[in-house]
Structures are given as C-alpha cells and as structure tokens.
Amino acid sequence: MCENMQSNVKMKGRKAMKKNSNKRLVIIGGGIAGLTAGIYGKKAGFDTVIIEKNAVPGGECMGWNRKGFHIDNCIHWLTGTKKGTELYDVWKTVGALSDDTEYVPMDAFYSSRYEGQEATLWVDLERTERELVAISPEDEEEIRKFIKAVEYSKQCLVPAHKPMEMWGISDYIKMGSSMKDFPKVMKEYGKISLEEYAKRFRSPLLQKLMCDYLPKEYATYALLVSYATVVDGNGDIPVGASLQMVLRMEKKYCDLGGQIWYNKSVDKVQVDRKKVTSIVLEDGENVPCDYVVPAIDTYTLFNRILGREYMPKELARVYEDEKAYPTTSGFQAAFAVEDGIDVGRTIFLEIEPLRCGNTTISRMFVKFYGYDDIFRADGKQVMQISILQRDRDYESWKAMTDEEYRAEKEKLVREIQRRLVSEYPELAGKMEFLDAWTPLTYERYCNAYHGSYMSFVTTPGVKQFRMKGKLKGLDNVFVAGQWTMGTGGLPVAVTSGKFAIQRILKSQKRSIEI
C-alpha cells in the first residue's frame, strides 16, 4: 500500500515536468477507473492523490478470503487480453497485464442444462456449431446464423486510443474498415432482446442457452459480442483472480510515485468561479486541487458530492427512465466443495422455483473455481452461485430490517444448498458455506446505485447511454468510471480513466499521447 506516501518520479520530458510539477490532480475512488487515471496522470506529470473510502483498492473489481478460501467478485472473462488490440495496450500500461501474464485454460464460455440435456458454448466455435446442430437439427439454419454472427462480432473491439470526441476522419475510416461486417450484426440483433431472440429456436434447451448468461432484457448483440470476445482469445481470465490484478495496478501507481489515501470518504467540494478548488473529506480535512477526476458511482457524485445541478441532462434522463435503462445486481453465495467436480465450468441449472428479493427464479448460475490454485485448499474448490437481481429486488432488500435481512440470507443459503444437492447428490453433507452477499453489499461497499455491479442495461431499440467526461459548469472536473457509459464493466472503467487524463491534457493544449 502507498497511503500518504510520496516519492520522486522519473518523468519523460522536462517540459511536462515543469508544466505540471505543481498541478495537483485529486482522484475520487480507487477502483479500476481511479487507478488508471492515477497511473496516466503520473505519466503526464501531475501530482496525484487517490482518495478511497475502503481499506483496499479495486471497487467492484474485488475478492476476499473466508475460511482459508478466496472468493472472486468480478472477472468471469477480461475483455482486452488479446495482444495487438488497443485495449490490451491500456491494460499493459496500467500493470494489470503483461506479455508474460498467465491465463486460465478455458475451453468453454458456459453450459445450460434442461430436462436431462446439456448445451455448451465452446471456445471452439466449430465444436459449438456441430454440437448444437446435433442437439436440435430442426434449428440448423438459425444455429448457423448464430455462428456467423459470432464470427462477425469478433470485429467489435473496444476503442481505447483516445476519446471519440477527439477522433478525426482517419479514425472513423480505420474503425469502419476493421468492423466492416459488424453493422450486419447490429442491424439484425441490435433491436431484439435475448428473450425475443430465443423464440427463434425450436429447442427448449437452446432457448434456455440463449437467455441464461445475460439478463433477458439485454439486446441480443451483447451476448454475441461477449461470446465472440472469448472465442477470439480477447476475453481470457488472468491467473490469480480480480484482487490480485488490482494490486498489480496499485503497485504500478505507487512505483510511479502516486499517493493513495485509504479509509477516507469525500463529503463535498468547494467551488469558486466554475472550478473545484478543494475536496472536503467527511473527517473535515480540506484537500486543495487543480483538477478532479471523480471515478465513482455517478448517482452518489451528483446527488451528494457535486450537486444535481451539474448532472448532464443525458444522465438525468437515464435515471428517470428505469424501464428503458434498468440496472442489474445479484444475490450470490460461495461454498467450498470437493475438488474435481465440474472444475472450471459455468453451468446454468433448472431448479425448483425460488423467490429471491422480489423475483421468483427457476434457473440458477453455478460456477466452479477449481481452475486456479488461489480458489483451492485441502482438497476442495470454491463454488459460487448467482441469482440475478433487478431494481425492484434492490427495493425489497432495502425495505428489510437488519434482523429480516440476516434471516432472509440464511434462508436463501439453505434453499440454495437443497437445490444444489438435488443436482449434485455427491455434495450432500459436504458443502461448506463460505459467504453470501446481496445488492446491499455493493451499495455499502461501493455506494453502487441500486446495488448494481454494472452500469445501465441497454435495452433493444433504446439509444446506448454515453456521457461526456467534461462537465458543463465546472472547468476542471473530468468524470471517469463505468457509469459514464452503458453497460459499463471493466473495459469502460479502464478506458475512461485514461480518457479523463487525455481530456485534461487537451484542456491544457498539450499532446494527448501518454
């Protein structure tokens, strides 16, 4: 940790050092976006301070230990692991990845079980096509269309060189050339939900397969792009889990001389002549600043810290239209089970109906983490389940008293164990409960709006949300974080941190190349 530490920084270019040696950049939030802004800020010559409310960095990209086992709360696949892509270069710059990074051997995206049958989206796309056609010959035409759409979706790469408002004609020509087939995917699958898309298949199993992984309200292209990312080797899982990746980023930032103040919460800001002049912490400390990069939940930012008057109109409209832009969270639980059972697999099961929050479910996500030594101990591996929760479920959890909340968690864990033993009889009496968490956990730990671990869902036919990082009415505030764009996630978080620094550099009429 580098709390309250300062060290000399070797910088490239005396001009950059001279210009910014006394410019203080304060970053609110030490998650992926905040750490990225800190690293690029140091590379650009700023005196940087990250203010983080928790005792460790990472935000939503987090993991923790229980009973000798590690629980991972984030990475199911990391977009940007393919060398040669712009996003890979950013992950490498911030220390998350390196050319020597080891990845988990992964042969499948996920599997779905229904009525004694199982279908899998394999990393080997030809194998997927072959097996799905064997499962449902009557769906052969639709299956082949699905496979082709996945192939086209490999072209959908995250642009990470610079913010789109800084693009020139050549940038758009380059993108158009590299994504020449992807518009076909958006034309057919951009305005249809997964729930509606699944109805194109006659097989009930394939219908489940298409709706299991992402919320059924998602536009279908989201599944196609996600699967294509994994198939293309651009969505691998780094060995060592989410927290370890974050700690590599923290080390990179500290090695550059950056400061992180842990266990410090921001209360408000002081504004003078369209500039934030200082950050006021909840303990009363006043932190002077020249620039500010808020890298936190935007609901908290604009409703508590900055003030609603600075919220961009496009963001306000999204918060007001919950139906068009819902959020997602989950009830999750972790267990230690016998090593060797479905190691490394993500499987969706049909279960006896179970009420969780304000929703009754009959499908459940189960993931076995024995693919990495960090999740194994004493001949056991970590197994986690996740139940999708929406805005209305958050409200149900929020209405509970502390006693009701604890009782509901305990009841759900018991009911989940019973259903898992029904599917895996060998687990009877051998499941060790490790931990359970809810949307309120994300709210408490990250101030997450409605306890959501992702930004707003983009529903079919609705314009994808995107906000500019520069705020109207404040000349020195540049917002970062996954909430600046739907549907958020790690790629949005890491690129937004870089983009925030590039926007500052442009405001100084400096080169944005860092």
Side-chain angles (χ1 to χ4, degrees):
M1 304 294 181
C2 53
E3 181 179 356
N4 293 326
M5 292 177 60
Q6 284 184 307
S7 61
N8 293 326
V9 186
K10 293 181 180 180
M11 298 185 56
K12 295 180 180 180
R14 294 183 180 180
K15 185 176 181 181
M17 170 71 86
K18 183 176 180 180
K19 186 167 184 107
N20 288 310
S21 60
N22 295 317
K23 296 293 184 182
R24 192 178 213 192
L25 168 62
V26 175
I27 300 160
I28 305 174
I32 295 295
L35 287 169
T36 301
I39 291 166
Y40 277 96
K42 290 303 300 179
K43 289 172 67 67
F46 292 97
D47 175 17
T48 63
V49 176
I50 296 175
I51 299 174
E52 168 55 44
K53 71 184 284 288
N54 295 307
V56 292
E60 304 277 10
C61 191
M62 182 49 55
W64 58 91
N65 298 323
R66 291 290 185 273
K67 301 180 182 179
F69 291 89
H70 188 72
I71 296 171
D72 195 296
N73 184 58
C74 188
I75 298 175
H76 295 292
W77 78 91
L78 180 67
T79 302
T81 58
K82 187 175 183 178
K83 295 178 182 178
T85 63
E86 291 180 359
L87 188 55
Y88 176 82
D89 292 340
V90 175
W91 285 123
K92 185 177 178 181
T93 297
V94 299
L97 301 178
S98 71
D99 290 342
D100 298 323
T101 295
E102 182 182 355
Y103 299 99
V104 172
M106 185 167 59
D107 65 355
F109 189 23
Y110 67 89
S111 301
S112 294
R113 290 179 184 171
Y114 184 67
E115 294 185 342
Q117 283 189 298
E118 184 171 298
T120 299
L121 296 184
W122 299 100
V123 172
D124 182 343
L125 201 53
E126 291 183 1
R127 181 180 179 182
T128 297
E129 180 178 7
R130 187 170 60 250
E131 292 190 10
L132 294 188
V133 171
I135 289 170
S136 183
E138 63 271 28
D139 285 316
E140 181 174 355
E141 182 180 353
E142 198 62 51
I143 290 167
R144 297 200 190 285
K145 286 180 62 179
F146 170 76
I147 296 298
K148 180 177 285 188
V150 173
E151 283 284 4
Y152 288 164
S153 296
K154 291 178 182 178
Q155 300 171 2
C156 183
L157 299 175
V158 177
H161 179 58
K162 57 186 174 183
M164 290 190 73
E165 74 266 18
M166 299 182 192
W167 283 24
I169 293 176
S170 61
D171 297 303
Y172 284 100
I173 292 174
K174 179 182 177 182
M175 182 181 73
S177 175
S178 64
M179 298 174 64
K180 62 182 184 300
D181 295 313
F182 187 64
K184 301 173 187 176
V185 175
M186 293 302 297
K187 182 178 180 179
E188 181 165 357
Y189 303 101
K191 295 183 179 181
I192 180 173
S193 71
L194 286 167
E195 183 175 28
E196 287 299 312
Y197 173 63
K199 295 175 183 177
R200 294 184 180 183
F201 296 88
R202 299 175 187 176
S203 164
L205 175 59
L206 297 193
Q207 290 176 359
K208 301 294 184 184
L209 180 70
M210 297 302 162
C211 281
D212 270 343
Y213 203 90
L214 298 176
K216 62 184 180 181
E217 300 93 344
Y218 269 44
T220 299
Y221 80 88
L223 174 65
L224 298 169
V225 171
S226 298
Y227 182 32
T229 300
V230 173
V231 167
D232 199 33
N234 196 31
D236 290 333
I237 305 173
V239 168
S242 301
L243 179 59
Q244 281 61 41
M245 187 183 82
V246 167
L247 294 178
R248 293 195 294 272
M249 293 177 65
E250 181 205 43
K251 182 178 186 303
K252 179 65 175 284
Y253 175 65
C254 293
D255 288 347
L256 289 170
Q259 300 180 63
I260 305 182
W261 297 356
Y262 290 105
N263 299 309
K264 296 281 189 179
S265 293
V266 173
D267 179 39
K268 59 184 178 180
V269 298
Q270 300 286 355
V271 179
D272 182 35
R273 299 177 185 178
K274 297 180 67 176
K275 286 189 175 183
V276 171
T277 57
S278 67
I279 310 295
V280 182
L281 306 184
E282 287 187 348
D283 61 10
E285 184 177 356
N286 198 294
V287 185
C289 58
D290 296 291
Y291 294 97
V292 182
V293 173
I296 59 174
D297 180 275
T298 49
Y299 192 83
T300 297
L301 175 64
F302 291 108
N303 285 279
R304 200 193 76 195
I305 296 175
L306 286 184
R308 188 83 180 194
E309 65 269 26
Y310 296 111
M311 181 184 284
K313 292 180 180 179
E314 61 268 28
L315 179 59
R317 285 194 294 267
V318 169
Y319 279 116
E320 291 165 3
D321 195 348
E322 190 174 289
K323 184 177 180 181
Y325 298 94
T327 61
T328 58
S329 187
F331 175 84
Q332 301 184 65
F335 305 88
V337 301
E338 182 182 347
D339 199 357
I341 300 175
D342 281 339
V343 173
R345 299 196 66 192
T346 297
I347 305 173
F348 289 84
L349 309 174
E350 187 78 5
I351 62 169
E352 175 189 334
L354 175 65
R355 188 169 182 82
C356 182
N358 204 26
T359 300
T360 298
I361 62 138
S362 59
R363 303 284 293 170
M364 188 165 65
F365 166 107
V366 182
K367 183 170 183 177
F368 295 85
Y369 280 81
Y371 56 66
D372 189 334
D373 287 344
I374 196 171
F375 303 112
R376 302 167 63 193
D378 301 325
K380 295 181 179 180
Q381 63 174 328
V382 173
M383 177 182 71
Q384 290 178 210
I385 68 91
S386 180
I387 298 173
L388 179 67
Q389 299 281 266
R390 298 173 173 82
D391 297 282
R392 63 181 182 272
D393 300 305
Y394 162 80
E395 292 164 2
S396 176
W397 287 104
K398 193 69 173 177
M400 295 179 188
T401 65
D402 289 347
E403 184 176 347
E404 290 170 337
Y405 179 74
R406 288 191 294 269
E408 182 66 12
K409 285 174 64 177
E410 291 172 2
K411 184 185 78 172
L412 280 169
V413 168
R414 290 194 302 270
E415 292 297 317
I416 287 166
Q417 286 180 297
R418 184 167 66 82
R419 286 160 175 79
L420 288 171
V421 169
S422 178
E423 183 71 24
Y424 296 94
E426 65 269 35
L427 294 181
K430 298 179 181 180
M431 294 180 64
E432 182 180 6
F433 172 66
L434 300 177
D435 203 0
W437 56 106
T438 77
L440 299 193
T441 309
Y442 294 99
E443 181 184 58
R444 173 181 56 80
Y445 193 76
C446 296
N447 292 328
Y449 174 70
H450 285 191
S452 180
Y453 47 65
M454 293 282 284
S455 177
F456 306 100
V457 174
T458 300
T459 53
V462 174
K463 183 179 180 182
Q464 186 179 44
F465 164 71
R466 184 193 301 269
M467 65 171 280
K468 295 180 180 178
K470 177 72 173 63
L471 296 181
K472 185 177 180 180
L474 291 173
D475 293 338
N476 64 339
V477 178
F478 298 82
V479 182
Q482 68 160 334
W483 289 91
T484 59
M485 179 179 172
T487 54
L490 294 175
V492 174
V494 74
T495 53
S496 71
K498 175 186 178 182
F499 293 166
I501 303 305
Q502 289 178 308
R503 290 178 175 121
I504 293 175
L505 293 176
K506 185 176 181 181
S507 74
Q508 294 183 328
K509 298 182 180 180
R510 292 176 54 200
S511 170
I512 64 167
E513 298 297 328
I514 315 174

